[in-house]
């Protein structure tokens, strides 16, 4: 139902810090029609070429300033992920994604105050890393 909001096209790329590739990231929109505090993100999951990424390697930011592990996000009620504003999901992996084509799947699940089930979307894309 929310697949069109998850994993924005052409957003997957390796991340370079201090001259080294520290991982890769992709952009996502919220799986809801309003903004929510980060504590209401139920979970985020990434899979590359059929291999699930460990939760502890995933980082998330709604503002490109404050980065959180998924565990830390459980208590973040002061930062809101706004509707229409893409968030960034980063995977810490030395060397990032190798050059070539990869199948990358991103799942984002959110909770709301008045809908009894999580709102979840998954999008799988074929990405090319140059």
């Amino acid at each position: 139902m929310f697949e069109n909001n998850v994993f924005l096209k052409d957003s997957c790329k390796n991340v370079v810090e201090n001259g080294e590739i520290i991982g890769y990231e992709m952009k996502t929109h919220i799986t809801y029609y309003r903004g929510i505090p980060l504590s209401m993100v139920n979970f985020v999951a990434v899979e590359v070429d059929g291999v699930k990424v460990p939760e502890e390697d995933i980082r998330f930011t709604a503002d490109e300033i404050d980065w959180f592990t998924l565990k830390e996000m459980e208590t973040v009620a002061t930062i809101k992920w706004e509707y229409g504003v893409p968030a960034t999901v980063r995977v810490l992996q030395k060397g990032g994604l190798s050059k070539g084509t990869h199948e990358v799947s991103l799942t984002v699940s959110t909770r709301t105050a008045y809908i009894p089930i999580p709102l979840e979307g998954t999008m799988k894309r074929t990405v090319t890393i140059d």
Side-chain angles (χ1 to χ4, degrees):
M1 177 174 181
F2 297 97
E3 283 73 17
N4 290 334
N5 289 358
V6 179
F7 199 170
L8 304 182
K9 187 176 181 182
D10 300 325
S11 70
C12 188
K13 63 180 182 176
N14 280 333
V15 178
V16 178
E17 282 188 4
N18 300 322
E20 290 187 41
I21 299 174
I22 62 161
Y24 57 94
E25 65 185 24
M26 63 213 78
K27 303 281 187 187
T28 181
H29 278 135
I30 196 165
T31 56
Y32 188 48
Y33 72 95
R34 309 173 55 169
I36 59 169
L38 293 187
S39 60
M40 293 182 76
V41 175
N42 204 35
F43 71 87
V44 175
V46 179
E47 188 175 298
V48 177
D49 298 328
V51 178
K52 292 181 181 179
V53 171
E55 180 180 309
E56 58 270 13
D57 293 340
I58 298 174
R59 301 295 182 271
F60 190 94
T61 183
D63 61 10
E64 297 294 327
I65 298 168
D66 299 296
W67 290 85
F68 300 97
T69 66
L70 300 181
K71 189 73 176 157
E72 289 170 334
M73 281 177 34
E74 293 175 2
T75 61
V76 178
T78 57
I79 296 177
K80 194 172 180 186
W81 182 12
E82 297 290 351
Y83 176 79
V85 177
T88 304
V89 175
R90 181 175 287 175
V91 175
L92 300 180
Q93 176 180 304
K94 189 174 180 171
L97 292 174
S98 61
K99 290 184 179 185
T101 302
H102 300 277
E103 291 294 320
V104 180
S105 176
L106 175 63
T107 301
V108 177
S109 175
T110 59
R111 296 184 311 278
T112 63
Y114 56 89
I115 298 175
I117 59 169
L119 304 175
E120 184 177 309
T122 300
M123 173 64 78
K124 182 183 283 189
R125 292 196 181 276
T126 300
V127 301
T128 303
I129 304 297
D130 297 325

